[in-house]
Amino acid sequence: MEEDWDNVVILDACRYDLFESVNTLDGNLDYRISPASATPEFLSRNFEEKQYHDTVYVTANPMYRTLGLDEVFHQIIDVWENHWDRQKQTVLPEAMTEATASAYKRFPNKRIISHFMQPHYPFVGELASEIGAHSGYEFAYRNVTEGEASRDNPTVWERLEAGDVSRELVWDAYAENLKIVFPHVEELLELFDEKTVITSDHGNLLGEKPHPLAAPVYGHPHGMRHEHLSKVPWLIVAGTERKYIVSEKPIKQLSDPSGDVTDRLADLGYFDV
């Protein structure tokens, strides 16, 4: 938060080399070293016990609700509450674009953080069918229809580790999940007049070893350090003007009326229920 920006777009779980290889967004590409290897750690290290009442956080990811961050920002906009796609078990990027654009217009004197879910799994592009069912579909169905949730399918990283799918296929599907979000980010960049940064909270490992004697690691375990977990993109779009930023007391945040926060986090693979 000490960096100089007016708007930030977070692309969840986007490692730097992936972004660099497929990026189509104009701007000055650099990188930063994230202090985290998972979203809860990222949120805690950046925001816990701090006040950013000059900032509005628009999020597809309900993870912050587990950390007591309700008083950190001027306003938190839970896109996942009303735009959770139960077929895909995620928030699709078009919903985030609409919500972020609305917040940008509603809060012209606030910094905006827009936290997209992609490229974090579930993979939602055409290659998802080649990977097969991964983490979340049957869990959500049973949760809705039976009230008792269970998981039949592993995460995509577990499937890769087990040898059920190839690294090449998973990498391509991961890249496709990132490419899917670019047109929606571009739409926001056309709206934003001010300095905007595109970045990520952490990366992913696809079988790399954290050190030479370690076993291969898949996904983004909490508390682990590795270049591809910590090195994230930092794409700067200069804009044509700067915001006049005003800090104001937070707008009261209501709790999730559905009570499904834990279930939705499990759908994203953060923990089992």
Side-chain angles (χ1 to χ4, degrees):
M1 294 293 286
E2 290 74 21
E3 297 271 5
D4 178 33
W5 51 267
D6 295 304
N7 311 295
V8 162
V9 175
I10 298 173
L11 305 179
D12 203 294
C14 181
R15 52 191 267 176
Y16 176 82
D17 59 343
L18 175 72
F19 186 93
E20 183 183 37
S21 68
V22 301
N23 177 46
T24 58
L25 303 172
D26 291 333
N28 181 24
L29 180 59
D30 199 351
Y31 69 88
R32 293 292 185 270
I33 301 301
S34 173
S37 59
T39 300
E41 187 182 11
F42 174 83
L43 294 173
S44 178
R45 288 179 179 269
N46 282 290
F47 305 129
E48 200 165 31
E49 298 183 355
K50 299 176 183 178
Q51 289 187 352
Y52 298 108
H53 295 171
D54 62 351
T55 302
V56 172
Y57 180 46
V58 185
T59 181
N61 192 327
M63 178 56 68
Y64 83 91
R65 284 286 183 89
T66 68
L67 299 172
L69 302 181
D70 288 349
E71 299 298 318
V72 171
F73 303 104
H74 175 65
Q75 170 78 326
I76 298 174
I77 298 174
D78 289 311
V79 183
W80 53 272
E81 279 192 343
N82 297 317
H83 296 282
W84 189 262
D85 188 302
R86 290 196 172 273
Q87 180 180 3
K88 301 292 188 182
Q89 288 306 304
T90 192
V91 175
L92 297 175
E94 47 265 39
M96 274 300 297
T97 303
E98 181 179 352
T100 303
S102 177
Y104 175 78
K105 295 171 184 176
R106 181 183 172 192
F107 300 101
N109 62 354
K110 298 290 181 288
R111 298 196 292 177
I112 300 291
I113 299 176
S114 177
H115 191 155
F116 281 75
M117 204 62 253
Q118 292 72 34
H120 193 289
Y121 73 79
F123 298 150
V124 297
E126 294 181 1
L127 291 176
S129 61
E130 295 187 34
I131 290 177
H134 58 282
S135 185
Y137 300 103
E138 79 291 345
F139 183 99
Y141 177 80
R142 291 171 185 165
N143 182 46
V144 171
T145 61
E146 302 172 14
E148 294 183 4
S150 60
R151 187 192 303 278
D152 288 340
N153 297 314
T155 70
V156 66
W157 308 123
E158 290 169 336
R159 298 204 64 198
L160 175 59
E161 183 175 14
D164 297 333
V165 290
S166 70
R167 186 187 190 280
E168 180 181 11
L169 175 59
V170 172
W171 179 265
D172 289 346
Y174 183 26
E176 183 181 50
N177 234 34
L178 178 57
K179 292 176 185 177
I180 284 170
V181 79
F182 281 154
H184 303 282
V185 176
E186 183 65 47
E187 186 177 339
L188 289 178
L189 292 176
E190 291 175 0
L191 174 66
F192 295 162
D193 294 322
E194 309 84 9
K195 185 175 183 179
T196 300
V197 169
I198 316 300
T199 188
S200 185
D201 49 353
H202 59 82
N204 273 310
L205 295 181
L206 283 76
E208 293 90 346
K209 296 181 179 182
H211 57 83
L213 299 180
V217 176
Y218 300 83
H220 49 273
H222 186 282
M224 182 172 288
R225 295 294 171 259
H226 187 282
E227 176 184 356
H228 295 313
L229 288 173
S230 302
K231 187 176 181 180
V232 295
W234 189 263
L235 181 74
I236 301 171
V237 182
T240 57
E241 57 185 79
R242 300 304 302 270
K243 287 184 181 180
Y244 175 69
I245 302 296
V246 177
S247 180
E248 298 176 285
K249 66 180 182 179
I251 298 174
K252 183 173 177 58
Q253 184 68 26
L254 299 177
S255 61
D256 180 8
S258 69
D260 286 342
V261 176
T262 300
D263 295 336
R264 290 171 181 176
L265 293 177
D267 288 335
L268 292 171
Y270 288 110
F271 46 75
D272 292 323
V273 176

